[in-house]
Amino acid sequence: MLSASTLNVTKLRIASNPTNRFVLDCMDALSLLRKHPFLPIDDTPQERSYGWCAWNDLTDTEWRETHPSIGGSYLAFGLRIDLRRIAPALLKKELAIALKEEEARNLEQGKKFINRERKAEITAQVKLRLMASALPTPKSIGVVWDTEKDTVYFLSVNDKEVALFCELFTSTFNLELEEAEIDYERTAPSELLAYLWFNAELTEGNIGGGLYIWDTSKITLSGATATVSTVDSVEEAKLALKLGKTISSLSVHMKNEMENIDCDCVMGGHISRLNGIKGIPLGADAEDEDAAFLEQVYVLEKLFSYVDRAYDKHLDTLHDCAMPLARWRSGMSLTEEEREAAQ
């Protein structure tokens, strides 16, 4: 189950050519995962290792007690990444000691300085020695694959982790993954976020079909010459918007009583990524873990479908909202006709 109270999730979809597809029912997913398991690096100086592990146990890389198949068409497993890091201050100290020792040896031999190649060699030796003594830090990132809808949910929004996951997924299953992207010829992520903020004030967040997206209590803005800043005051954010800053992220509340969804999250520069999702039932006391898991995935699916609906409505109302949105952005009041046209 999804055990964290706050989730960061990237939604991906299978992008492979249909001729390269295979029917999942005819293959042993577990055997493919076992061909790319996580391999420990505790007894080596290797800096990083990654591979598949069980969904609920990062130490289980052979699926001894669990199976990735959950609830029919869903597969759940984990991407384990172990990373060995050296504290910069420690590396600096040890390197300084090693260089002083080398300088002392040089003086004995009548040499005046350490050349560039030797410095690079000493640096590599020190780093290797420290790496060998440093314990790697483990991390497991959940993966949920809906094989019927060709959708994959990866529980991270970190660019490097998403790229690493896509690479290993393709190596394992011979399937390419892709993220849904904004149609940059028609709009931009900042414009979608501005529209959601605008709509939250104009219609109390009504997107239609019982869906409401509002809140905007925390807004991050950026500008050509401005550093990114988080603004807790809506009025302060409006002033920054009026001065030409653009919206980088927006905290939103998504609610649909008809579908029993009531969650908070942060939307940013990707329509396929949601940060800080709160409100997904944890199901810690659930007797049927599979049923609790499917309920959690249902909420995830709905949240991303709401993003799609909001994005579609934004595109559908681009023409009618252009003038009212520009006036609102500049701090001007809207006429009743403009309000009606923008809804």
Side-chain angles (χ1 to χ4, degrees), residues 161-314:
E161 292 175 347
V162 171
L164 183 64
F165 164 67
C166 290
E167 177 185 331
L168 184 58
F169 187 93
T170 299
S171 298
T172 304
F173 299 105
N174 195 29
L175 294 171
E176 299 283 344
L177 291 173
E178 67 179 8
E179 289 187 61
E181 292 291 346
I182 287 275
D183 184 352
Y184 283 92
E185 292 185 359
R186 300 184 64 186
T187 188
S190 60
E191 292 303 308
L192 171 60
L193 298 179
Y195 167 75
L196 288 175
W197 182 6
F198 171 66
N199 188 69
E201 292 195 355
L202 195 67
T203 68
E204 296 183 344
N206 187 3
I207 300 297
L211 171 61
Y212 287 80
I213 298 179
W214 78 101
D215 183 9
T216 66
S217 60
K218 199 165 187 177
I219 304 154
T220 303
L221 299 110
S222 62
T225 58
T227 56
V228 175
S229 59
T230 301
V231 184
D232 293 309
S233 167
V234 173
E235 293 306 317
E236 185 181 348
K238 282 186 176 180
L239 177 60
L241 197 65
K242 183 178 179 180
L243 294 175
K245 289 191 178 182
T246 57
I247 305 173
S248 299
S249 67
L250 191 69
S251 67
V252 297
H253 186 84
M254 297 189 187
K255 185 172 184 177
N256 190 327
E257 293 183 352
M258 295 187 294
E259 296 179 337
N260 197 30
I261 302 297
D262 193 351
C263 292
D264 295 302
C265 64
V266 177
M267 294 178 60
H270 298 267
I271 59 174
S272 57
R273 301 185 187 186
L274 293 177
N275 300 356
I277 303 173
K278 297 179 181 179
I280 293 181
L282 295 179
D285 301 323
E287 295 182 3
D288 187 339
E289 289 193 1
D290 282 5
F293 174 83
L294 292 175
E295 181 184 2
Q296 294 172 327
V297 175
Y298 165 80
V299 175
L300 272 184
E301 291 175 339
K302 286 298 178 182
L303 292 180
F304 280 99
S305 73
Y306 296 163
V307 174
D308 292 339
R309 282 168 59 180
Y311 175 57
D312 290 341
K313 184 173 182 181
H314 167 53

Side-chain angles (χ1 to χ4, degrees), residues 1 27 59 107 187 204 209 231 316 320 336:
M1 291 187 294
M27 68 107 182
T59 66
L107 286 175
T187 188
E204 296 183 344
V231 184
D316 291 341
D320 293 333
E336 286 300 321

